[in-house]
């Protein structure tokens, strides 16, 4: 298959939408990372996503829609808190897991489960594509399974060239790490007359929206802790430790240890790069990320891609700060460096 790369424009959105409607695979930018889209209501189209990515079929996909009404149409139950979250964060990097409506999306999307993850992405190209295609679009990140997520069209083609019909290119993405995923299936449908009955929000994946920001909407239960380091079917299936990984051996280190560890590996002849936050303590192959979580997130995957492309055998990565705003970055670094 030849992959057509189109830059974002009205005609290219029409062409990409046509490919989607006809059951094709279209990689498109979202505000987080590039997604690998197929229409969610066609089993054969969805199966092509799993084939192209080499993704295990037990790992469900996020469905992307143009607006809240389209989201509600996919849900069997839409509790008040889902509406409140959607109103506050959509379009935006929050995926809401709800009970799925019967017969709307293919079973392959939800990996046979009774719930569906939905989001309205905040990217003009994604929104234009969804509006034009008028179908729900299942889209995981547009990379081969377990490799680094793509924040540019080049990253997409690095692992999926010849496996997708169209890549819609609108430059680098803004957030740079995936959406936060929250499960509201245990929340009551309606708040009581006195506002009683605080809904439970189960956090399934740290992401672009910090946990502290979500706490206003309910009681957060952090279900991500159990998922890390486990290859079992977790609450967010597919969130096992080894993920987002470069080809090189990646090692996590305290910021003050980076230099010594890099020098040790270089002394033994390994081509060794580093990712540091705020300032470089080593020379040569080093990527310095901003000491602010949003900017750091935007650059993180591109930095990993560059060091991988440079042919590093080893990448030493400085550990991120401990506070809530850095939780998603800590999570991705832990997964990138999982043995
Ligand atoms: O930012 C993002 O969310 C990007 C862009 C493209 O939208 N998408 C993305 O998809 O990160 P993916 O496939 O790489 O990650 C989706 C994860 C799955 O691994 C799974 O853990 C979780 O979302 N997920 C999807 N549907 C779910 C469901 N019904 N219940 C629990 N977890 C679900
Ligand atoms: Mg992914």
């Amino acid at each position: 298959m030849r992959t057509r790369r189109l830059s974002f424009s009205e005609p290219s959105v029409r062409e990409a939408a046509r490919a989607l409607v006809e059951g094709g695979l279209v990689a498109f930018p979202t505000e987080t990372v590039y997604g690998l889209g197929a229409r969610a209501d066609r089993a054969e189209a969805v199966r092509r996503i799993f084939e192209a990515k080499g993704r295990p079929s037990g790992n469900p996909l996020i469905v992307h829609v143009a607006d809240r009404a389209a989201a509600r149409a996919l849900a069997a139950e839409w509790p008040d808190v889902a509406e409140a979250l959607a109103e506050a964060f959509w379009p935006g990097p929050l995926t809401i897991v709800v009970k799925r409506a019967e017969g709307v999306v293919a079973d392959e999307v939800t990996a046979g489960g009774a719930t569906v993850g939905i989001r309205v992405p905040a990217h003009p190209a994604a929104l234009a594509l969804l509006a034009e295609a008028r179908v729900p679009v299942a889209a995981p990140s547009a990379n081969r399974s377990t490799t680094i997520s793509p924040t540019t069209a080049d990253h997409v083609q690095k692992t999926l060239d010849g496996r997708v019909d169209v890549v819609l290119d609108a430059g680098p993405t803004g957030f740079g790490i995936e959406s936060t995923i929250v499960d509201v299936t245990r929340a009551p449908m309606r708040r009581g007359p006195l506002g009683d009955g605080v809904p439970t929000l189960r956090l399934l994946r740290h992401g672009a929206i910090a946990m502290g920001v979500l706490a206003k909407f309910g009681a957060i239960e952090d279900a991500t802790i159990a998922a890390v380091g486990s290859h079992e079917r977790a609450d967010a299936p597919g969130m096992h430790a080894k993920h987002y990984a470069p080809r090189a051996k990646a090692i996590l280190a305290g910021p003050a240890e980076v230099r010594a560890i890099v020098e040790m590996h270089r002394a033994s002849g390994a081509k060794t790069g580093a990712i540091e936050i705020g300032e470089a303590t080593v020379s040569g192959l080093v990527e310095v990320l901003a000491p602010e979580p949003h900017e750091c997130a935007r650059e993180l995957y591109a930095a990993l891609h560059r060091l991988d492309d440079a042919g590093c055998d080893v990448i030493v990565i400085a550990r991120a700060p401990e506070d809530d705003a850095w939780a998603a970055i800590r999570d991705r670094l832990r997964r990138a460096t999982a043995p």
Side-chain angles (χ1 to χ4, degrees):
M1 180 201 300
R2 200 180 66 84
T3 297
R4 278 171 290 154
R5 174 145 158 184
L6 310 172
S7 2
F8 175 37
S9 68
E10 267 178 47
S12 66
V13 166
R14 275 197 298 275
E15 187 174 340
R18 203 175 318 120
L20 270 180
V21 170
E22 287 168 359
L25 290 186
V26 173
F28 62 96
T30 79
E31 77 281 35
T32 59
V33 300
Y34 275 70
L36 176 62
R39 59 186 296 174
D41 55 350
R42 290 268 182 87
E44 327 84 80
V46 174
R47 266 184 239 125
R48 292 189 58 203
I49 293 179
F50 288 90
E51 274 162 39
K53 278 187 67 94
R55 181 178 177 110
S57 59
N59 191 358
L61 306 174
I62 294 170
V63 182
H64 298 66
V65 291
D67 53 42
R68 254 187 279 165
R72 282 190 295 256
L74 305 180
E77 287 182 8
W78 188 254
D80 282 350
V81 70
E83 186 66 13
L85 289 167
E87 193 181 354
F89 296 108
W90 285 356
L94 182 72
T95 294
I96 305 177
V97 173
V98 292
K99 295 198 177 111
R100 75 184 271 217
E102 204 78 44
V104 184
V105 298
D107 289 340
E108 283 77 358
V109 172
T110 64
T115 62
V116 60
I118 311 169
R119 81 181 192 96
V120 177
H123 191 292
L127 288 171
L129 182 65
L130 292 166
E132 179 77 21
R134 295 162 170 278
V135 290
V137 173
S141 51
N143 54 302
R144 291 280 289 173
S145 219
T146 76
T147 66
I148 311 164
S149 297
T151 57
T152 67
D154 280 344
H155 296 162
V156 174
Q157 290 193 284
K158 214 168 120 179
T159 63
L160 293 178
D161 194 39
R163 295 174 180 270
V164 303
D165 298 290
V166 173
V167 178
L168 189 59
D169 178 6
T173 59
F175 279 91
I177 53 173
E178 296 82 353
S179 62
T180 301
I181 305 180
V182 72
D183 174 334
V184 299
T185 56
R186 294 184 192 175
M189 285 299 285
R190 301 283 164 261
R191 293 297 292 266
L194 304 171
D196 47 329
V198 175
T200 300
L201 308 180
R202 306 190 67 237
L203 182 72
L204 300 186
R205 177 173 73 184
H206 288 284
I209 292 173
M211 201 159 45
V213 181
L214 293 174
K216 275 190 283 193
F217 296 84
I220 310 276
E221 186 186 313
D222 187 351
T224 66
I225 298 156
V228 174
S230 160
H231 286 252
E232 303 294 302
R233 193 186 160 103
D235 288 310
M239 292 303 293
H240 51 70
K242 181 92 181 158
H243 214 118
Y244 315 106
R247 230 180 342 91
K249 176 182 164 70
I251 300 168
L252 205 55
E257 309 159 31
V258 169
R259 184 175 178 166
I261 297 174
V262 166
E263 277 168 5
M264 185 185 81
H265 284 282
R266 285 182 181 167
S268 73
K271 185 159 188 179
T272 306
I275 295 184
E276 303 195 81
I277 297 173
E279 55 166 348
T281 64
V282 301
S283 56
L285 279 169
V286 60
E287 295 279 343
V288 181
L289 303 178
E292 188 280 321
H294 297 100
E295 263 182 71
C296 180
R298 184 163 46 226
E299 271 298 308
L300 174 63
Y301 290 150
L304 280 166
H305 276 289
R306 279 192 294 269
L307 291 175
D308 230 17
D309 295 346
C312 287
D313 305 306
V314 177
I315 302 175
V316 182
I317 308 177
R319 205 173 267 124
E322 281 304 318
D323 48 299
D324 177 51
W326 290 85
I329 292 169
R330 284 199 306 277
D331 170 82
R332 300 306 187 272
L333 293 183
R334 207 159 47 229
R335 293 173 199 284
T337 56

